[in-house]
Amino acid sequence: MAAGNVNPFNVSDSEEEAEQRQDGADTERSPSDEVQGHSLGPFSPPAYSEPAALLSSNRTSPSVDGIPASAAAVAGIGGGSAAESRVSLDAIAAQLLRDQYILTALELHTELLEAGRELPRLRDYFSNPGNFERQSGTPPASKEQGVGPGGPLTVQMQDRKRRKKDAHLRDRAGSISTLDSLDFARYSDDGNRESDERVAECEIPSQERKNYKSSPENQEPIRPLEKRALNFLVNEYLLKNECKLTSITFSDENDDQDFELWDDVGLNIPKPPDLLQLYRNCGHSLPLHRDTVDVAVSVDPNDLPGDYFTQEPVQQTEAIQQQQQEEVVQELEYQISLLNSEKKSLAEQIKKLQSDIQVLQRNVSSDPTSAVKLTPSKEDTPCGKPPLDNGQYLDIRGVTETDSSSDANTTKTSTTTATTDCTESTTTATQPHRDKLKSQSQQGKTSVQFDQPNRKLSPAFHQALLSFCRMSTDSRLGSEVSRIADSEQSVMLMLGRCLPHIVPNVLLAKREELIPLILCTACLHPEPKERDQLLHILFNLIKRPDDEQRQMILTGCVAFAQHVGPTRVEAELLPQCWEQINHKYPERRLLVAEACGALAPYLPKEIRSSLVLSMLQQMLAEDKADMVREAVVKSLGIIMGYIDDPDKYSQGFELMLLSLGDPSERVVSATHQVFIPAFAAWCTELGNLQSQLIPSLLTRIEKLLKQGEYGLDEHKLHMYLSALQSLIPSLFAVLLQNAPFTSRAKLQGDVPPIEVTRFPRPASPLQDVATIVGSREQLAVLLQLYDHQLQHEGTTGWDSLLWVVNQFLPQLIEIVGRINVTSSTCVHEFSKFFWRLCRTFGKIFTNTKVKPQFQEILRLSEENVDASAGNGILTKATVPIYATGVLTCYNQEEDRKLLIGFLEDVMTTLSLSHAPLDSLKASFVELGANPAFHELLLTVLWYGVVHTSALVRCTAARMFELLVKGVNETLVAQRVVPALITLSSDPEISVRISTIPAFGTIMETVTQKELLERVKMQLASFLEDPQYQDQHSLHMEIIKTFGRVGPNAEPRFRDEFVLPHLHKLALCNNQQTVESKRIDIATQLFEAYSALSCCFISEELMVNHFLPGLRCLKTDMEQLSPEHEVILSSMIKECEIKVENKAIGEAQGSISIAASLVGEDAKTKFLSKMGQLTTSGAMLANVFQRKK
């Protein structure tokens, strides 16, 4: 028996108890046991075994960790060696917990803690909150049956049972909740309930519960949620019964609550019935009326473990065992004869009923006009099969003899036989594995038998006697517990009834563990209403499911859909999604959005393209949460992969534009990663990728450029262009799949692998050309044939490629020529697009199809530049996009030479034509952002430095200003500064002036002192050299540069160089006689001083240079620009106030320092005086009195 015991607390045994159990094995059978033993029958247990264990072979023994339940009692009465053995503390603790002496166990745990001898069992028990959440109304120990098949219980067992029953009653009384019919907190979806709210209400009689709760000393204080719920119901009652003034007063006294909204109460449950209905139903717990079947169960002696029998010496028990076996054989032979006779009678009855059914069926088939509904009664059917909901159970609530004249044993045996035959007859049409399971179940049931006492008590007396076994069968839970399902369908029915009551009482963090149970029941339950309720529970299982929990629910939904088919998915799962589409929690709406995509493959195609598409479109347009719209876009992409209705193309296009225009970056990213590739795949199948989708986007871009004469909407341009960029892989796949060589593309022989850098990195696997085509091997074969076709065989008959070359590329190049070259965003977007296009279509396509079209337009000659109007093609955005988007795709030597030559030609042509340099600047800015092109750009600029034309040298000097910001200081020191020094000594003054902005940028960005000193010396030579004194344009450029770089330059450079020289320039401008030059210099000085006024300037510089310079500038502005003079006056006044405040602050600072020193001295003296007063409080008070 000890070997088969199960620890009811799931805690490993301690070493001390293991030793005790080993010692107890030798002393368990002492001579005193034999003295106390009774005359045992073949089924009678020994005194130390558990009688309840004999009732069913599936019951675990209630003994604790291998110590028999009555071992202590036997040892106490019998004495001997067992009485001398010491019981371990762990065994005592286990027994206390088992008998539900929780307070005693807590007392023991506290004393052991204080003594430093903590028991792991007690520590684990009291630290586990699950032991106190919803405790069963009946402890395991109190469920033992008091009548065994072999005879009465021993005195010790009866006494122990009585003690446990008393403990059970105490446990029940202690776990009663305060509110009986308004226990809202139990069903709240909030997991933050207090520990006292987690105690379950026991199934005790309602009258007893009322009497207990009515006593004032046992009532708990009302909880906040209970108060708010009652307030709501009371106010509702007052309004319904025309007590409006009372309701207004009641609302004023509870002004913290909104009585018009139930959700304000705070309970996540539906609104309960009104107060009148609660009053009428208070205390009425109607039991479920079920039809029952009386059966008898018994235990096969061979199935019982050997520990159930008394292990007496063989020489003393051989005769007794032989006699017992003979009695058993006789009893079994008698039962067999009864069963055989019963079987024959039932077989004859079955044959008769089957013939009656056949006759009725023939009558029905012969007379189709009369509808005869066969409703065989319970007595007429061969198996006596009752309705589904209550016929497939074994009722263990009690055995009732309905026929007092028949023998009880015969009645039960015949009932068992009838049930067995009925079950066998109904399983003939089931699957083989179910036959096997049911046959095993039937064998188990027929082998369970109970010995009937040879007594002559009346059945009524038996029934009355058994009524004293306290069993709770008049409640819902008691009704479920008292019935055992004996078929799969009845198990499903039981789960459908119990799960709605189980789910609210499971912790939120662990509710996903119920998903398999809910789904399995929802799949197999026969009632649609119950299935709908279970699926509703599934979608509302967790208030705010996290990512992992949503994945579990979605996995379950997919498994459900695979099992039940599209019809039930449409009828049962989709309504649950529709109900939650406007839920207040975004996590729940996110679950709906993800479920629409996950269930798309399992829905009818009409529903996919209508209802589900409309649901997702509504959520995309109306939902405020970014993560929900992101999931909606992904689900829309999945829908696009399954949709096959061509009429939905326009709706899909609008959804694509709506997704691209979303303000959230994550939604736009999901559109590019999922929706656009899926939509493009569908368009490819429809054949309108090249005929509708791409032309529609190009048309929108052209329309945007026409409307953007007064301001281009760059966001929309980026939106359309990024969509085109995401369509490039699909367009290339169309070219490969519709090529002349596609039929020859077969996987045979060695195929050269695809280079890693052959294609740009895709944004998602759906944009990978290999994924679109089918596999990398297939793509490798197609690429090999593609390159060969372009090089040797031409494009004749290749319509998809001819469309790209003859329509797509010319239209794109025309659009590029119309965008604003000064818009760095537009230039960057188009450059990136052409780069991805050329890299995807390959080098041969770029060299033979793309570059020639650009070169045809960009004929590099002075005639191609309209200097007067400034609208030549070289001044457009075509130049930077061709340079950065096409010529940089491939980085081999010939490609770099081509790029260098193109930039040199553009620089030369624009310079000699006196055309704007915006296109060249845009090229340098875009290329300068990549450090790999810095050396290349410096090579181009050095070509300009040594050019024979001064115009080209000026252009090169100005380009250095753009390049300095991105180049590292080593290149600046080695390549940039020497080139600028060379240009600063150029014979042409215009070239020297052109170097000043570059020198200023170096002062702004470089930190090397030696480099800064060289630049400072060069700028000083421009300012102090007598040859530059009358150079008006040079002074203008220097002042402009100082105003631009001064605030960001090194403070020392600003203080020692910039401010003093600005002061000198302002003084010189006062003596300027040419008014136009004077106003030009004054305007530039005003801009420079305005920028520098935001910097920190020391008082010395403010007094010596900044304020005098402002006053000189004010003198000029009084005569030339009065509106500037007002601003200058306020600036001067502000600076003077700053200087005065600094002087006052310093004076106050010195005064405060002196005052603090005096204060500290006085404080020290006062404290020393106080320290001398040690006599009394009266003397202390005298210190503060005035002297008279």
Side-chain angles (χ1 to χ4, degrees):
M1 185 69 183
N5 286 343
V6 178
N7 186 349
F9 304 106
N10 196 19
V11 182
S12 61
D13 300 334
S14 63
E15 296 180 1
E16 182 182 359
E17 183 180 349
E19 296 173 0
Q20 181 66 27
R21 186 165 61 249
Q22 184 66 29
D23 297 340
D26 299 330
T27 61
E28 198 176 53
R29 284 187 47 81
S30 63
S32 61
D33 295 337
E34 297 178 8
V35 176
Q36 303 228 3
H38 297 277
S39 178
L40 302 174
F43 291 76
S44 298
Y48 55 82
S49 65
E50 286 291 346
L54 297 176
L55 294 178
S56 172
S57 60
N58 295 329
R59 285 284 305 272
T60 58
S61 172
S63 61
V64 180
D65 298 338
I67 301 174
S70 59
V74 174
I77 296 175
S81 60
E84 296 175 1
S85 62
R86 180 183 176 185
V87 180
S88 66
L89 289 173
D90 194 62
I92 294 172
Q95 185 69 17
L96 289 173
L97 294 178
R98 180 180 170 280
D99 290 345
Q100 295 292 304
Y101 293 124
I102 304 300
L103 294 178
T104 307
L106 181 60
E107 183 84 20
L108 175 62
H109 179 53
T110 306
E111 292 180 355
L112 290 175
L113 274 178
E114 293 174 354
R117 299 172 60 193
E118 182 182 16
L119 281 179
R121 181 189 304 278
L122 293 177
R123 179 196 62 208
D124 295 341
Y125 183 85
F126 287 110
S127 63
N128 183 9
N131 292 326
F132 309 100
E133 283 188 0
R134 288 190 61 80
Q135 300 186 7
S136 173
T138 307
S142 67
K143 293 183 180 178
E144 300 172 0
Q145 302 295 328
V147 180
L153 294 170
T154 61
V155 176
Q156 297 92 332
M157 189 61 67
Q158 291 176 355
D159 180 67
R160 186 165 65 86
K161 182 177 179 66
R162 186 165 53 253
R163 290 200 308 271
K164 288 183 180 180
K165 186 181 293 184
D166 296 337
H168 167 49
L169 290 176
R170 286 195 300 273
D171 176 56
R172 287 159 60 133
S175 64
I176 297 174
S177 302
T178 302
L179 290 177
D180 185 14
S181 59
L182 254 160
D183 191 9
F184 298 136
R186 179 182 309 176
Y187 303 104
S188 172
D189 206 8
D190 188 358
N192 300 324
R193 292 175 291 181
E194 297 295 334
S195 60
D196 60 346
E197 293 180 301
R198 298 188 180 187
V199 181
E201 182 169 344
C202 300
E203 296 293 342
I204 61 176
S206 58
Q207 187 61 39
E208 180 182 346
R209 187 164 62 248
K210 290 178 184 175
N211 294 338
Y212 175 82
K213 293 180 182 179
S214 61
S215 57
E217 62 274 8
N218 291 326
Q219 288 188 355
E220 302 176 9
I222 189 168
R223 303 176 187 131
L225 287 177
E226 294 172 342
K227 179 182 177 183
R228 294 175 70 85
L230 287 173
N231 286 348
F232 185 89
L233 294 175
V234 169
N235 184 71
E236 183 185 43
Y237 169 79
L238 293 173
L239 289 174
K240 286 183 178 180
N241 291 276
E242 301 299 329
C243 300
K244 295 184 178 179
L245 293 178
T246 309
S247 172
I248 294 172
T249 307
F250 186 73
S251 301
D252 293 339
E253 292 175 347
N254 296 275
D255 55 355
D256 60 338
Q257 185 172 350
D258 184 3
F259 288 103
E260 296 181 359
L261 188 62
W262 166 253
D263 291 341
D264 184 66
V265 173
L267 295 173
N268 192 16
I269 61 171
K271 190 180 84 64
D274 57 21
L275 207 58
L276 180 61
Q277 191 68 23
L278 289 173
Y279 171 73
R280 288 174 176 172
N281 295 334
C282 179
H284 294 287
S285 173
L286 297 177
L288 299 175
H289 297 288
R290 309 269 186 204
D291 294 334
T292 59
V293 179
D294 296 330
V295 297
V297 293
S298 62
V299 179
D300 191 343
N302 296 325
D303 293 341
L304 296 175
D307 292 345
Y308 278 89
F309 300 96
T310 307
Q311 301 178 6
E312 296 178 357
V314 178
Q315 62 271 20
Q316 297 179 4
T317 60
E318 284 181 353
I320 298 175
Q321 288 179 357
Q322 184 175 1
Q323 182 182 359
Q324 292 172 350
Q325 290 173 1
E326 291 174 355
E327 293 176 356
V328 170
V329 169
Q330 293 175 0
E331 179 68 21
L332 291 177
E333 289 176 350
Y334 177 70
Q335 291 183 4
I336 289 172
S337 64
L338 292 176
L339 292 173
N340 287 334
S341 61
E342 186 72 20
K343 182 178 179 181
K344 290 179 182 179
S345 63
L346 289 173
E348 293 175 356
Q349 186 179 0
I350 289 171
K351 289 180 181 179
K352 181 178 179 299
L353 292 172
Q354 286 177 346
S355 63
D356 294 340
I357 291 172
Q358 291 175 359
V359 171
L360 291 173
Q361 287 177 345
R362 283 196 295 269
N363 294 337
V364 171
S365 60
S366 62
D367 188 9
T369 57
S370 61
V372 180
K373 184 176 180 182
L374 296 179
T375 312
S377 64
K378 203 169 168 184
E379 293 78 16
D380 296 333
T381 54
C383 301
K385 184 177 180 180
L388 286 175
D389 196 21
N390 34 348
Q392 304 295 324
Y393 295 92
L394 298 176
D395 196 338
I396 62 170
R397 285 177 285 185
V399 181
T400 59
E401 283 84 356
T402 58
D403 188 1
S404 59
S405 62
S406 62
D407 183 69
N409 190 17
T410 305
T411 303
K412 291 168 187 169
T413 305
S414 62
T415 308
T416 305
T417 306
T419 306
T420 305
D421 291 342
C422 174
T423 307
E424 290 175 352
S425 65
T426 55
T427 56
T428 56
T430 56
Q431 298 177 0
H433 69 281
R434 293 188 178 180
D435 292 339
K436 183 178 178 181
L437 291 175
K438 290 198 173 185
S439 63
Q440 293 176 356
S441 175
Q442 292 155 10
Q443 291 174 5
K445 286 185 283 185
T446 55
S447 64
V448 177
Q449 297 180 0
F450 294 99
D451 282 350
Q452 299 300 322
N454 189 13
R455 302 290 297 276
K456 295 182 180 180
L457 300 176
S458 67
F461 187 84
H462 265 293
Q463 188 66 26
L465 186 62
L466 290 176
S467 66
F468 285 95
C469 297
R470 297 179 61 86
M471 291 187 293
S472 178
T473 60
D474 57 347
S475 62
R476 179 196 62 80
L477 185 59
S479 175
E480 297 292 350
V481 170
S482 64
R483 295 182 298 176
I484 298 176
D486 65 346
S487 70
E488 292 118 342
Q489 193 173 34
S490 56
V491 170
M492 291 300 110
L493 294 169
M494 181 269 294
L495 288 173
R497 290 190 301 269
C498 293
L499 277 173
H501 301 279
I502 294 172
V503 171
N505 299 295
V506 178
L507 292 176
L508 286 172
K510 294 296 181 182
R511 285 192 182 176
E512 62 266 21
E513 300 291 340
L514 293 172
I515 294 175
L517 202 60
I518 295 172
L519 282 168
C520 195
T521 309
C523 282
L524 302 177
H525 203 285
E527 296 295 333
K529 185 177 180 181
E530 295 294 330
R531 295 199 301 265
D532 182 72
Q533 183 183 7
L534 288 168
L535 292 175
H536 181 75
I537 290 173
L538 176 67
F539 275 82
N540 294 273
L541 191 64
I542 303 166
K543 184 179 2 181
R544 307 183 77 162
D546 57 25
D547 187 57
E548 184 177 353
Q549 291 167 337
R550 287 196 309 274
Q551 288 179 12
M552 285 297 156
I553 295 174
L554 290 177
T555 304
C557 289
V558 170
F560 178 88
Q562 291 172 341
H563 188 274
V564 302
T567 305
R568 280 184 58 183
V569 174
E570 175 191 353
E572 297 177 13
L573 269 183
L574 275 188
Q576 303 298 332
C577 296
W578 186 261
E579 286 180 6
Q580 310 239 353
I581 196 172
N582 293 316
H583 199 278
K584 65 178 180 179
Y585 291 130
E587 291 85 357
R588 299 280 276 276
R589 304 196 301 274
L590 181 59
L591 177 62
V592 172
E594 293 173 340
C596 289
L599 295 174
Y602 311 102
L603 289 167
K605 60 181 182 179
E606 300 83 6
I607 297 299
R608 266 198 301 258
S609 58
S610 58
L611 177 61
V612 179
L613 197 62
S614 301
M615 286 172 58
L616 292 173
Q617 185 173 9
Q618 177 184 341
M619 295 182 74
L620 180 63
E622 297 178 0
D623 205 290
K624 297 180 180 179
D626 295 349
M627 61 179 181
V628 177
R629 297 198 304 277
E630 179 187 13
V632 167
V633 168
K634 292 180 180 179
S635 295
L636 280 171
I638 297 173
I639 294 291
M640 290 299 152
Y642 285 90
I643 201 168
D644 55 2
D645 184 5
D647 296 336
K648 296 294 180 181
Y649 166 78
S650 58
Q651 187 177 359
F653 185 76
E654 294 300 324
L655 285 171
M656 182 185 73
L657 296 181
L658 182 62
S659 305
L660 288 170
D662 195 276
S664 172
E665 187 62 34
R666 58 193 297 179
V667 177
V668 176
S669 176
T671 306
H672 289 292
Q673 293 176 5
V674 183
F675 184 85
I676 291 181
F679 187 58
W682 184 38
C683 291
T684 302
E685 294 180 23
L686 295 176
N688 57 11
L689 179 67
Q690 295 175 313
S691 60
Q692 291 189 41
L693 181 56
I694 294 177
S696 298
L697 291 171
L698 290 175
T699 304
R700 279 171 167 74
I701 292 175
E702 290 179 336
K703 185 178 179 181
L704 199 65
L705 292 174
K706 289 179 181 177
Q707 296 173 351
E709 295 178 358
Y710 303 101
L712 180 64
D713 189 345
E714 294 184 353
H715 175 70
K716 280 192 174 181
L717 180 65
H718 166 72
M719 183 177 80
Y720 297 141
L721 202 57
S722 63
L724 275 177
Q725 183 173 312
S726 297
L727 291 172
I728 291 174
S730 300
L731 180 61
F732 184 64
V734 169
L735 261 65
L736 295 179
Q737 292 168 349
N738 296 325
F741 53 78
T742 304
S743 58
R744 307 195 308 268
K746 297 181 180 178
L747 293 174
Q748 54 185 2
D750 293 335
V751 180
I754 304 173
E755 295 181 8
V756 178
T757 58
R758 170 62 181 82
F759 292 100
R761 178 176 296 178
S764 76
L766 296 177
Q767 290 190 10
D768 190 352
V769 181
T771 304
I772 300 172
V773 170
S775 65
R776 291 193 69 82
E777 293 78 13
Q778 183 70 19
L779 179 60
V781 174
L782 290 172
L783 285 177
Q784 190 177 20
L785 296 172
Y786 168 77
D787 292 338
H788 183 269
Q789 183 82 18
L790 287 178
Q791 268 187 321
H792 304 290
E793 299 182 16
T795 60
T796 305
W798 197 348
D799 295 337
S800 55
L801 181 68
L802 290 174
W803 177 85
V804 174
V805 175
N806 298 330
Q807 297 185 39
F808 184 52
L809 281 175
Q811 192 173 0
L812 275 174
I813 294 173
E814 182 186 357
I815 291 173
V816 163
R818 293 164 56 186
I819 68 172
N820 187 4
V821 69
T822 59
S823 174
S824 58
T825 304
C826 295
V827 171
H828 176 72
E829 291 294 334
F830 273 98
S831 299
K832 188 167 64 171
F833 172 79
F834 272 98
W835 187 87
R836 295 188 75 89
L837 179 72
C838 295
R839 287 302 300 266
T840 302
F841 279 73
K843 188 171 185 178
I844 297 174
F845 181 86
T846 303
N847 291 334
T848 59
K849 306 299 178 185
V850 180
K851 289 181 181 178
Q853 293 199 34
F854 273 99
Q855 291 167 359
E856 179 67 22
I857 297 173
L858 296 170
R859 288 190 296 271
L860 297 175
S861 63
E862 295 185 25
E863 292 80 12
N864 202 21
V865 179
D866 189 351
S868 59
N871 58 0
I873 191 65
L874 289 182
T875 62
K876 301 295 183 183
T878 312
V879 170
I881 290 171
Y882 175 60
T884 61
V886 178
L887 297 180
T888 61
C889 286
Y890 300 96
N891 202 22
Q892 297 180 0
E893 188 63 29
E894 60 270 17
D895 301 309
R896 296 176 68 86
K897 287 182 179 179
L898 185 61
L899 177 59
I900 290 173
F902 175 73
L903 291 175
E904 289 175 351
D905 292 343
V906 169
M907 182 171 62
T908 304
T909 305
L910 291 178
S911 301
L912 297 177
S913 303
H914 299 278
L917 301 177
D918 293 331
S919 60
L920 185 64
K921 289 180 180 179
S923 303
F924 269 74
V925 170
E926 190 70 21
L927 291 170
N930 188 352
F933 295 107
H934 286 171
E935 285 281 357
L936 184 146
L937 293 176
L938 288 172
T939 303
V940 173
L941 290 180
W942 186 254
Y943 166 83
V945 170
V946 298
H947 200 275
T948 56
S949 172
L951 295 174
V952 178
R953 295 198 299 272
C954 284
T955 302
R958 295 199 176 277
M959 290 301 109
F960 274 114
E961 177 190 356
L962 301 175
L963 192 60
V964 166
K965 293 182 179 180
V967 177
N968 62 64
E969 294 189 4
T970 304
L971 279 178
V972 172
Q974 295 176 356
R975 302 284 298 275
V976 176
V977 173
L980 289 174
I981 296 295
T982 301
L983 291 173
S984 65
S985 58
D986 195 270
E988 293 290 334
I989 188 67
S990 60
V991 176
R992 283 178 265 172
I993 294 173
S994 299
T995 61
I996 294 174
F999 280 126
T1001 305
I1002 292 174
M1003 296 299 297
E1004 186 181 12
T1005 56
V1006 175
T1007 57
Q1008 292 184 14
K1009 291 185 178 180
E1010 297 179 359
L1011 204 58
L1012 291 174
E1013 286 297 325
R1014 292 177 64 185
V1015 174
K1016 184 178 176 183
M1017 289 173 59
Q1018 185 61 46
L1019 290 174
S1021 67
F1022 285 143
L1023 289 167
E1024 297 170 3
D1025 196 332
Q1027 63 175 331
Y1028 300 120
Q1029 286 183 359
D1030 298 330
Q1031 291 294 331
H1032 175 73
S1033 57
L1034 184 141
H1035 292 161
M1036 286 280 293
E1037 195 67 48
I1038 285 181
I1039 296 171
K1040 183 179 179 181
T1041 302
F1042 282 174
R1044 177 172 58 85
V1045 306
N1048 301 320
E1050 186 185 11
R1052 182 182 173 188
F1053 171 73
R1054 181 176 63 242
D1055 296 344
E1056 297 179 0
F1057 190 80
V1058 174
L1059 290 175
H1061 282 93
L1062 284 177
H1063 182 198
K1064 290 180 183 179
L1065 290 169
L1067 280 172
C1068 293
N1069 198 48
N1070 288 150
Q1071 282 82 38
Q1072 179 62 254
T1073 56
V1074 182
E1075 187 174 341
S1076 60
K1077 293 183 179 180
R1078 188 178 180 186
I1079 187 63
D1080 290 342
I1081 295 291
T1083 304
Q1084 289 297 330
L1085 283 172
F1086 177 80
E1087 296 294 336
Y1089 273 111
S1090 299
L1092 291 170
S1093 64
C1094 302
C1095 304
F1096 173 77
I1097 301 173
S1098 65
E1099 183 183 359
E1100 181 182 358
L1101 283 170
M1102 185 76 73
V1103 173
N1104 295 335
H1105 295 294
F1106 196 78
L1107 274 173
L1110 284 176
R1111 293 189 181 105
C1112 293
L1113 182 59
K1114 182 184 177 184
T1115 304
D1116 292 334
M1117 290 300 182
E1118 285 176 352
Q1119 303 174 10
L1120 303 173
S1121 179
E1123 63 272 12
H1124 287 85
E1125 189 267 338
V1126 176
I1127 300 173
L1128 283 171
S1129 299
S1130 63
M1131 289 175 63
I1132 292 171
K1133 188 174 182 181
E1134 228 178 282
C1135 294
E1136 289 174 347
I1137 291 173
K1138 285 182 182 179
V1139 173
E1140 291 176 2
N1141 288 340
K1142 285 182 180 179
I1144 294 172
E1146 290 177 359
Q1148 288 180 347
S1150 60
I1151 294 172
S1152 63
I1153 292 172
S1156 63
L1157 292 175
V1158 173
E1160 286 293 330
D1161 185 49
K1163 179 180 177 182
T1164 305
K1165 289 182 180 179
F1166 176 76
L1167 292 176
S1168 64
K1169 185 72 174 175
M1170 293 288 291
Q1172 296 173 4
L1173 300 175
T1174 56
T1175 53
S1176 66
M1179 294 183 65
L1180 183 63
N1182 292 333
V1183 175
F1184 301 98
Q1185 289 182 356
R1186 251 178 107 179
K1187 291 184 179 180
K1188 296 179 181 179

